[in-house]
DNA sequence: ATTTAGACCTGTCAGC
DNA sequence: TGCTGACAGGTCTAAA
């Protein structure tokens, strides 16, 4: 579920909270979540490491650990982080009818930043802890993931993890120019929607922000990527940068699962123009927003603002 | 060479 | 109330 803005927002929150903290130990409750190395090795290697820094690349969260280790995290559809105040702990008793759900036990929320898990999703998320990191100061970082798609890996810093190798430019960095985007689109015959979802073209765009960026630029999701005019490419570039930037400023987009480190929902769902707004009026012209399926994914667009035919 | 189902997973919601 | 199918912020693989 998290796209670039959600991952970036999490990275900023983690930087402000756990940078410099030492991992006392970790627990793994769903083995497949830790895909490299073997989770036994993972648990052994992570002990007593200090969190040296936190970065983001595309939708990957990158955590530098002391001893030249790199933790890479991809949350896929429903992965989330929650930071528990000291005093909280995992109750690892298996629940009767659900062998993979885990409960959290502890005192009432007392941390000033942690008054209540305010997002509607946070209570639910607490039950699906797959990995936990317990810090020396007693705090506990939970990786929760109802759908179990997310992956956490540990690599020696010297070799860049393969997963990061094929990623395209960072859309919010200087390297992402109009020309870079134009060059990438010029050689792709696929639809523009699929092309934007391709992490090798631009890193970090997912279904929400692809739809939003296309609406911003007035481009139909089925337009062939290499037929965009230079004017349209310029508009799309601006659309990508501004919708992602806005997403970060609003703390990400929450529809179901996503919440921030303290369990609060991201504000950006109040600011989307087309995503999941099928049947509602276009914010620009009032025409009814439509939905179509493209490569097994929903696409939301305004049929009046985003015409398929080239003028 | 691309496109596209299917897999991986669990939960929710609408409709019968 | 209970069942069924569609759908959900992603990405990889194999078959068409």
């Amino acid at each position: 579920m998290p796209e670039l803005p959600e991952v970036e927002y999490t990275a900023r929150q983690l930087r402000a909270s756990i940078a410099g903290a030492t991992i006392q130990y970790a627990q793994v409750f769903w083995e497949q979540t830790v895909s490299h190395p073997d989770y036994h090795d993972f648990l052994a290697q992570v002990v007593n490491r200090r969190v040296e820094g936190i970065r983001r690349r595309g939708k990957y969260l990158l955590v530098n650990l002391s001893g030249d280790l790199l933790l890479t995290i991809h949350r896929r559809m429903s992965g989330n982080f929650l930071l528990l105040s000291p005093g909280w702990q995992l109750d690892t008793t298996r629940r009767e009818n659900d062998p993979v759900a885990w409960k959290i036990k502890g005192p009432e929320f007392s941390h000033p930043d942690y008054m209540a898990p305010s997002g509607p999703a946070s209570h639910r998320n607490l039950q699906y802890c797959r990995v936990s990191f317990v810090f020396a100061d007693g705090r506990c970082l939970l990786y929760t993931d109802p759908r179990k798609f997310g992956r956490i890996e540990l690599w020696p810093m010297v070799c860049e993890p393969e997963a990061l190798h094929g990623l395209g430019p960072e859309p919010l960095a200087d390297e992402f120019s109009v020309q870079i985007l134009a060059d990438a689109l010029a050689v792709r015959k696929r639809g523009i929607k699929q092309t934007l979802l391709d992490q090798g073209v631009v890193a970090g765009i997912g279904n929400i922000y692809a739809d939003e960026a296309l609406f911003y630029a007035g481009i139909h999701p089925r337009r062939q990527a290499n037929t965009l005019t230079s004017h349209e490419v310029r508009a799309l570039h601006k659309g990508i940068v501004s919708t992602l930037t806005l997403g970060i400023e609003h703390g990400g987009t929450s529809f179901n699962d996503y919440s921030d480190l303290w369990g609060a929902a991201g504000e950006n769902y109040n600011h989307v123009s087309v995503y999941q707004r099928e049947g509602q009026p276009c914010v620009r012209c009032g025409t009814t927003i439509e939905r179509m399926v493209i490569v097994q994914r929903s696409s939301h667009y305004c049929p009046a603002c985003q015409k398929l035919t080239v003028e």
Side-chain angles (χ1 to χ4, degrees):
Chain A
M1 68 42 149
E3 304 181 26
L4 185 150
E6 291 75 35
V7 181
E8 176 63 28
Y9 195 70
T10 303
R12 292 180 185 183
Q13 287 198 318
L14 287 174
R15 214 172 289 143
S17 57
I18 65 157
T22 300
I23 301 171
Q24 200 164 55
Y25 63 94
Q27 292 173 289
V28 174
F29 304 112
W30 181 253
E31 294 171 23
Q32 280 113 293
T33 298
V34 177
S35 49
H36 179 276
D38 168 71
Y39 85 96
H40 285 115
D41 291 342
F42 176 85
L43 292 177
Q45 287 184 46
V46 114
V47 168
N48 287 327
R49 302 290 178 182
R50 206 178 95 97
V51 177
E52 305 278 10
I54 294 130
R55 297 169 289 143
R56 177 194 58 74
R57 174 81 173 99
K59 298 173 189 171
Y60 285 87
L61 202 56
L62 306 175
V63 180
N64 290 352
L65 298 180
S66 56
D68 290 325
L69 288 177
L70 181 65
L71 203 55
T72 70
I73 298 147
H74 197 303
R75 295 186 280 170
R76 298 285 176 92
M77 293 290 266
S78 61
N80 245 321
F81 282 102
L82 285 171
L83 188 58
L84 300 183
S85 312
W88 281 75
Q89 60 178 49
L90 275 179
D91 170 10
T92 54
T93 316
R94 278 171 194 271
R95 293 165 75 212
E96 249 176 62
N97 296 319
D98 188 348
V100 293
W102 306 84
K103 270 187 187 167
I104 310 296
K105 269 189 178 173
E108 287 309 305
F109 288 88
S110 54
H111 190 278
D113 291 331
Y114 208 172
M115 287 309 292
S118 47
S122 54
H123 284 293
R124 190 160 84 84
N125 281 340
L126 280 173
Q127 298 185 305
Y128 299 99
C129 181
R130 309 305 180 191
V131 178
S132 74
F133 299 91
V134 178
F135 296 106
D137 60 16
R139 289 180 299 167
C140 181
L141 182 67
L142 304 182
Y143 173 72
T144 66
D145 189 358
R147 294 182 72 177
K148 302 173 178 171
F149 289 164
R151 292 292 177 263
I152 297 179
E153 301 179 346
L154 191 63
W155 297 87
M157 197 91 84
V158 280
C159 63
E160 170 137 302
E162 271 181 45
L164 304 181
H165 196 255
L167 290 180
E170 275 298 322
L172 297 185
D174 291 340
E175 61 175 350
F176 184 60
S177 61
V178 174
Q179 194 55 48
I180 290 276
L181 180 63
D183 292 346
L185 297 186
V187 297
R188 320 234 172 196
K189 294 183 191 162
R190 290 177 294 173
I192 187 65
K193 174 67 185 281
Q194 293 126 279
T195 306
L196 287 181
L197 293 178
D198 183 341
Q199 300 302 295
V201 174
V202 184
I205 300 176
N207 213 27
I208 296 179
Y209 297 96
D211 282 3
E212 293 299 311
L214 287 172
F215 172 77
Y216 183 101
I219 297 167
H220 192 284
R222 279 213 201 278
R223 278 288 299 285
Q224 208 176 306
N226 62 356
T227 66
L228 297 201
T229 65
S230 57
H231 181 264
E232 286 174 321
V233 174
R234 189 170 295 276
L236 183 56
H237 178 272
K238 204 175 165 196
I240 291 168
V241 172
S242 59
T243 54
L244 292 176
T245 304
L246 215 62
I248 297 171
E249 283 170 10
H250 293 138
T253 307
S254 296
F255 283 104
N256 290 306
D257 299 306
Y258 172 75
S259 70
D260 73 4
L261 271 192
W262 320 114
E267 272 287 297
N268 199 239
Y269 66 93
N270 290 317
H271 304 274
V272 290
S273 300
V274 289
Y275 185 78
Q276 288 209 350
R277 290 195 67 246
E278 183 188 14
Q280 296 176 47
C282 169
V283 293
R284 201 178 288 157
C285 74
T287 305
T288 304
I289 300 299
E290 292 181 9
R291 183 182 80 92
M292 62 164 55
V293 176
I294 300 175
V295 242
Q296 317 286 93
R297 313 290 310 271
S298 284
S299 274
H300 312 78
Y301 67 103
C302 169
C305 296
Q306 299 166 266
K307 292 197 185 303
L308 188 52
T309 50
V310 193
E311 316 286 303

